[in-house]
Amino acid sequence: MTDQDGREGRQFTDEELQDLVASTDSGARDPSNRNIALLISGLALVWSLFQLWIAQPQLWFAQYLPAMNSTQTRPLHLFFAIVLAFLAYPALKRSPRHYIPITDWILIAIGGFCTFYVFWFSDVLALTARSGLPTQTQVIIGAVGIVVLLEASRRALGPALTIVGAIFLAYAYFGQGWLVPDLIEHEGLSFTALINAQWLDTGGVFGIPLGVSTAFVFLFVLFGSLLDKAGAGNYFIQLAFAGLGHLRGGPAKAAVVGSAMTGLISGSSIANVVTTGTFTIPLMKRVGFTAEQAGSVEVASSVNGQIMPPVMGAAAFLMVEFIGISYIEVIKHAFIPAVISYIALVYIVHLEALKKDMPALGEAKSFLGMIIKAFIGFAVAGVGFTALIYGVGALRDTLPDLTGPIMMVVLLAVYLWLVAIASRKPDLEMDDPNSKEIKLPQVKDMYSTGLHYILPIVVLIWFLMVERQSPARSAFFATALMIGIILTQRPLKALFRGEGGQIAAEFKNGFNDLIDGLIAGARNMIGIGVATAAAGIIVATVTRTPIGTELAGLVEQLSFGILFLMLVLVGLFSLILGMGLPTTANYIVVSSLMASVVVSLGAQEGLIVPLIAAHLFVFYFGIMADVTPPVGLASFAAAAVSGGDPIKTGFTAFFYSLRTVALPFLFIYNPTLILYGVDLGTWAGMGQAVFVFVVATFAMLLFAAATQGYFLARSRIYESAALLLVAFTLFVPNVWLNMVQDPFIEVPPAQFEEALGAAPEGERIRLQIAGPDFNTGETAETTLVIFAEGGDTATRMSNTGLLLIPDGDAMRLDEPMFGTEAAEALVDFDFYADDPVQLSAVQMARDRLPEQVFYLPALLLLLIVILLQRRRQTKPAF
């Protein structure tokens, strides 16, 4: 197929592709009336400025405006989201796009009033509705507001979240009936109580999800939008092609790396696919990839942008609130899985190129050489960043009062220097991937043209990881620097190029870029703002009805109490929900229902599953929903660019993404993969992290080779099975060690206190607790981990929060001390039933072989596979 521009295989023109992105991310309406277009843009601009102000209110005009708390900022955030949703998103596909119907104006007025009411009367609501005494007027406003919100959600996100939200509302209100299973029946909430909980209180629509969108997510989306508007997106793509385009299958490798870097900019899988895909997909097809393969590589790499630190998808910020850990901890835990996932995808592309004997674009270069150069580059950057940390620390010790001003002056000087270097080369322009002759850029010629784009990212990482500031404050400083760069880079380049007469015009162009970036950032937030608000309905229903605990019990029954089967069910649940829900809403729903159950079921099996691992598990399967057919939107967007079949593209992309499916299972059973329990503040911890990263990367490459059926040559079935076994052993060697040696020594429960007192400081002790379940009365079991912390035995016992009552050879438990971790872990036990809660077993760590000993037989098996394949190898492996 050839379109009017002569582009083979394309189903959509560039304009239609941008419309596809707009209709999904920022709204498809394009009003012909200039005043209406200005209204939409003006509201989006004001929204961005409002978010910047509440992120850092200590500005010069702060004295003229009152400070606002979360009960006021969240309604205003939703006010902008709902009003812009009805302005930017038509009701139906056949609805007019060039003007706004009267019905939409009515919905805008109603939705705006209902949200603004919560802001304006926040003090009144605190004394009435939030104290359990809502007025009839408040209930009516709340009911109307919920209906309008669900309609805004349907427009911006499709019908799935609206339907799910409506079902949860109906369940919360009715509680029972022929459609409600006996397992989750309840008395039902009154209409007043339902509306109060969902709209008027601070735990429903205006709860944690919307709070995260208000405080964190908007600033990161805005930061990405400004970075892209400044030209960083094009720079990252061209840099990836300059570094990798000359290799076998180079365009595909560049697509993976380029998408990883643009994942810093775009939180949208679809926008990432279209932005990078219009350039990468035609080039992939030119070197031998089919349309479906080219689209699938772009999908697999674009979707993973949401798991790539330091700027991850919105769900990562929700983890901060749901789990109660800092964002820097989320980054720490997500780093290794994200990086090795991208490395594996580059290797998968390399294997496809070897299988098809694809040529390189231009003069071929060594893949292994490029890997070595990349490693050296990362090492140099790491050393430089470490030196910067120590240098600033020394400056702070010497001149504590002048450290801030000196750092700002140094940052300004570095920026001016980098812009001066960039001005020596012409500005980058995106090449035409369909031209007859492809001339790939050279790293030496173009790397200096955009080094100043790295500065805001360094500032973001600095404040997040070194200064340990909040994500909102860190994003504010990075965004403030980005605003300065957009305004000044054009006039500075004109100045350095000796084009003094162009400075005023270039400053005006930079100002226009800033306005466009602020507007684009706000429009990209419409769907997220509406989604987090609508998902709050589900969170409130889960917390106020028995559906959370009882549905979890149903899943536990279906899995027969086996953790692995339950993880499979949770993964399938996420994939099915994700067919209609965006990643953020999907994560909210599934994590609210299932994350704690994964932890508790693991404890029943004696496996300690960190809560962060359970949440990351849900997160990973949530993003996979953008890939999997029949609804994977990213796959459809890629097929629109490539001209391939969207269903085949989705299945191929899922096959390429098997590593993303496998990783969550692996870090559930081996939490060290997410650096859980690894102290990065010590050299020993850093060394352990590096070791884990190297081994995990090697294992993931073998997993990729096994699933692709190609290593040094085409693999036979038994060779692929052997590679899978080697990869599994490298990932989770503790599984084999547990089969050979019992990991624990059993101590009689009656001797628990004595064992606790004699244990080394910081030693982990596992307690198996059995007793009647508070809800069912049936005997339940769980595993509790405590630490031997404190001086004498009495202090250590007090630190555990446990209250023990000796009963012959047995040891009974009274209700743990309130506010302790033990009280939270044992909340489901009935300590006042006739049957007592008992300490059934005490387990202490046994001295045994290091689990790494199983690497030896694994590596021996790998050597055998290598020797077998070397006989059939016809081309270099790298």
Side-chain angles (χ1 to χ4, degrees), residues 517-782:
L518 292 172
I519 293 171
R523 292 195 64 163
N524 289 338
M525 271 299 300
I526 297 172
I528 297 175
V530 171
T532 51
I537 293 173
I538 297 157
V539 175
T541 303
V542 171
T543 57
R544 293 176 182 266
T545 66
I547 188 171
T549 55
E550 299 301 339
L551 187 61
L554 175 61
V555 174
E556 187 176 331
Q557 290 179 19
L558 292 174
S559 65
F560 305 103
I562 300 172
L563 179 62
F564 181 79
L565 288 181
M566 185 181 191
L567 292 173
V568 172
L569 290 175
V570 172
L572 290 174
F573 184 37
S574 295
L575 290 175
I576 292 170
L577 270 183
M579 289 180 181
L581 298 185
T583 302
T584 305
N586 188 2
Y587 165 76
I588 292 171
V589 174
V590 182
S591 65
S592 300
L593 293 172
M594 295 294 160
S596 60
V597 188
V598 171
V599 174
S600 62
L601 185 57
Q604 290 179 27
E605 288 192 9
L607 180 68
I608 305 304
V609 179
L611 188 56
I612 179 66
H615 278 262
L616 283 173
F617 183 93
V618 173
F619 184 26
Y620 268 60
F621 274 93
I623 67 170
M624 284 300 299
D626 277 349
V627 176
T628 47
V631 189
L633 294 178
S635 298
F636 275 79
V641 179
S642 70
D645 180 84
I647 301 297
K648 288 182 179 178
T649 300
F651 277 114
T652 307
F654 182 79
F655 187 64
Y656 287 160
S657 301
L658 283 176
R659 71 207 190 286
T660 309
V661 175
L663 272 171
F665 289 94
L666 295 169
F667 59 62
I668 287 287
Y669 285 95
N670 184 11
T672 309
L673 287 173
I674 57 172
L675 298 182
Y676 183 78
V678 177
D679 184 5
L680 296 181
T682 65
W683 287 110
M686 290 289 290
Q688 184 181 1
V690 171
F691 179 76
V692 169
F693 174 73
V694 171
V695 173
T697 302
F698 187 51
M700 184 52 73
L701 295 180
L702 294 177
F703 177 85
T707 54
Q708 292 301 302
Y710 194 100
F711 186 34
L712 305 180
R714 289 190 181 275
S715 299
R716 292 171 179 145
I717 293 178
Y718 61 84
E719 292 172 340
S720 293
L723 290 175
L724 281 176
L725 183 60
V726 174
F728 177 80
T729 303
L730 294 177
F731 273 125
V732 283
N734 55 311
V735 171
W736 304 116
L737 182 59
N738 291 343
M739 293 181 183
V740 175
Q741 282 185 301
D742 195 314
F744 304 107
I745 299 172
E746 296 284 343
V747 176
Q751 298 177 18
F752 166 60
E753 289 192 50
E754 180 182 344
L756 178 64
E761 179 72 20
E763 177 83 6
R764 290 202 317 173
I765 302 175
R766 294 159 58 98
L767 308 179
Q768 291 187 352
I769 314 294
D773 184 271
F774 187 82
N775 296 308
T776 65
E778 299 178 358
T779 300
E781 294 183 352
T782 192

Side-chain angles (χ1 to χ4, degrees), residues 33-56:
N33 186 309
R34 186 171 182 272
N35 291 328
I36 302 301
L38 287 175
L39 174 64
I40 296 174
S41 299
L43 277 174
L45 177 62
V46 172
W47 191 11
S48 288
L49 295 176
F50 165 72
Q51 293 288 159
L52 285 170
W53 174 60
I54 64 174
Q56 186 68 14

Side-chain angles (χ1 to χ4, degrees), residues 111-196:
F113 170 76
C114 291
T115 49
F116 197 78
Y117 177 89
V118 178
F119 158 73
W120 193 254
F121 293 100
S122 60
D123 293 339
V124 175
L125 288 170
L127 298 174
T128 55
R130 291 164 190 167
S131 299
L133 301 170
T135 65
Q136 186 175 6
T137 301
Q138 292 170 346
V139 172
I140 293 172
I141 291 173
V144 174
I146 290 173
V147 173
V148 174
L149 170 63
L150 290 176
E151 168 59 13
S153 168
R154 184 194 66 79
R155 293 188 181 205
L157 306 163
L161 184 55
T162 301
I163 294 171
V164 172
I167 290 173
F168 271 76
L169 285 171
Y171 164 72
Y173 177 68
F174 293 106
Q176 49 194 309
W178 63 276
L179 285 175
V180 180
D182 295 340
L183 184 67
I184 58 173
E185 277 189 349
H186 66 105
E187 294 181 356
L189 302 177
S190 67
F191 185 76
T192 298
L194 177 66
I195 302 303
N196 190 28

